[in-house]
Amino acid sequence: MIKEYGITKSFIRLAIIYLLMIFCFMCCDTDEIIEELPTKRIRNKKTQKDEPDPFLPNERLAILNYMQSHWSGDKEIWYLYFVWQFWTGCRPGESLAIDWADIDITNRLAKISKTLSSGKVQLSTKTNEIRNIYLNDKILVVLDRLKALTGHQSRLFISLHTDEPWTRPDKLSEKFQEVLPVIGIRARPAYNCRHTYATTMLNSMIDVSAAAYQMGHDIITFTKIYAKWINTERMQAEMMKLDYGD
């Protein structure tokens, strides 16, 4: 093919050299001496993730108060689900996969070992690690009411209309989204209930490693996601030590 078009190997080598020279000048500043390969300056562009956008305490209160007063009858369990989400930090799929057998009221623990994915329960979590989360006072109240509503079933959260386990967390998220504009709260995903619990723990000065475990993160991942809140609380605690000298 090369000979057919009269192209020699020398021509190809010169063309490659010429293209490399153009590339070098494009990669360097015009007033800078080239002291290293320009290709060393090429970096893969990193995608910057959005910072967590939790609900403020007054927003959480307004949301739950509205749900409690407007969701009655078969809808009451929607309210109980979102109290659970706000005060456990579970991933939605984890919450919908929890069975009553996973709940240990005596020791105030819930075993998180499964997740709901594509409508089916998978016998592993997102991180492939089992954790036992602490059940605070607000969750114990929720469980007491849930026992009366869903205690006859194996699953913690079920539809009170069909008496079957929920399989679509996105439908619950839609119900959540409908509430926000009604009470004048800026739109955010229902998933941010999870971020709200994480930042609530940090604002309460709970140890970072304990908070990370509750959320199902390793401490490095947790620190990276919630660095803003960790650093803010740490700075405030340290600044309390400031000696004004007067």
Side-chain angles (χ1 to χ4, degrees):
M1 181 66 72
I2 292 176
K3 290 182 179 179
E4 184 178 343
Y5 288 93
I7 300 174
T8 65
K9 292 182 179 179
S10 296
F11 176 85
I12 293 174
R13 283 196 293 269
L14 287 172
I16 292 173
I17 292 170
Y18 180 74
L19 290 172
L20 285 173
M21 291 175 64
I22 293 174
F23 179 76
C24 288
F25 282 108
M26 289 177 66
C27 289
C28 298
D29 296 331
T30 55
D31 60 348
E32 185 179 8
I33 298 174
I34 301 174
E35 296 180 344
E36 61 180 6
L37 289 174
T39 51
K40 287 185 178 180
R41 301 187 180 194
I42 300 175
R43 298 287 186 272
N44 291 327
K45 186 177 181 180
K46 295 182 179 180
T47 302
Q48 180 173 313
K49 293 185 178 180
D50 291 335
E51 189 177 73
D53 189 7
F55 293 93
L56 298 174
N58 64 307
E59 291 178 320
R60 176 181 56 209
L61 181 62
I63 291 168
L64 293 178
N65 283 347
Y66 179 90
M67 291 177 174
Q68 185 176 28
S69 61
H70 288 77
W71 290 352
S72 58
D74 289 351
K75 298 178 182 179
E76 180 186 358
I77 197 166
W78 301 352
Y79 159 70
L80 296 172
Y81 169 77
F82 283 111
V83 177
W84 174 278
Q85 290 303 98
F86 267 123
W87 289 103
T88 65
C90 285
R91 299 176 178 93
E94 293 173 342
S95 296
L96 297 188
I98 294 177
D99 293 321
W100 278 106
D102 298 321
I103 304 296
D104 180 355
I105 295 292
T106 303
N107 294 307
R108 304 178 67 132
L109 296 173
K111 182 172 72 172
I112 308 299
S113 62
K114 307 181 292 294
T115 191
L116 187 75
S117 178
S118 301
K120 296 181 179 180
V121 174
Q122 307 295 324
L123 300 179
S124 63
T125 63
K126 180 181 178 181
T127 57
N128 295 312
E129 292 185 357
I130 296 173
R131 70 186 189 279
N132 291 290
I133 64 170
Y134 177 76
L135 304 175
N136 57 54
D137 291 345
K138 290 184 180 294
I139 294 303
L140 292 182
V141 173
V142 167
L143 289 171
D144 186 60
R145 180 58 183 151
L146 279 174
K147 195 66 177 179
L149 298 174
T150 71
H152 64 287
Q153 289 280 21
S154 60
R155 199 76 61 80
L156 199 65
F157 290 105
I158 65 172
S159 166
L160 297 183
H161 178 68
T162 64
D163 205 39
E164 295 291 330
W166 282 331
T167 58
R168 297 282 303 277
D170 57 310
K171 292 297 182 181
L172 291 164
S173 296
E174 290 174 8
K175 298 299 180 185
F176 184 90
Q177 291 295 331
E178 291 172 5
V179 170
L180 302 185
V182 175
I183 56 179
I185 290 179
R186 179 168 52 84
R188 273 160 282 178
Y191 192 88
N192 287 24
C193 295
R194 175 171 162 82
H195 293 317
T196 303
Y197 188 57
T199 54
T200 297
M201 286 191 288
L202 293 173
N203 289 336
S204 302
M205 302 301 288
I206 289 175
D207 181 74
V208 172
S209 60
Y213 178 81
Q214 183 83 4
M215 298 295 291
H217 283 307
D218 61 76
I219 195 165
I220 295 175
T221 302
F222 183 81
T223 302
K224 182 181 294 185
I225 295 173
Y226 300 106
K228 173 182 174 180
W229 286 268
I230 294 170
N231 292 337
T232 298
E233 294 307 314
R234 182 177 297 167
M235 179 187 70
Q236 290 177 346
E238 290 303 310
M239 288 301 102
M240 293 297 291
K241 302 174 185 177
L242 187 63
D243 182 1
Y244 293 97
D246 52 13

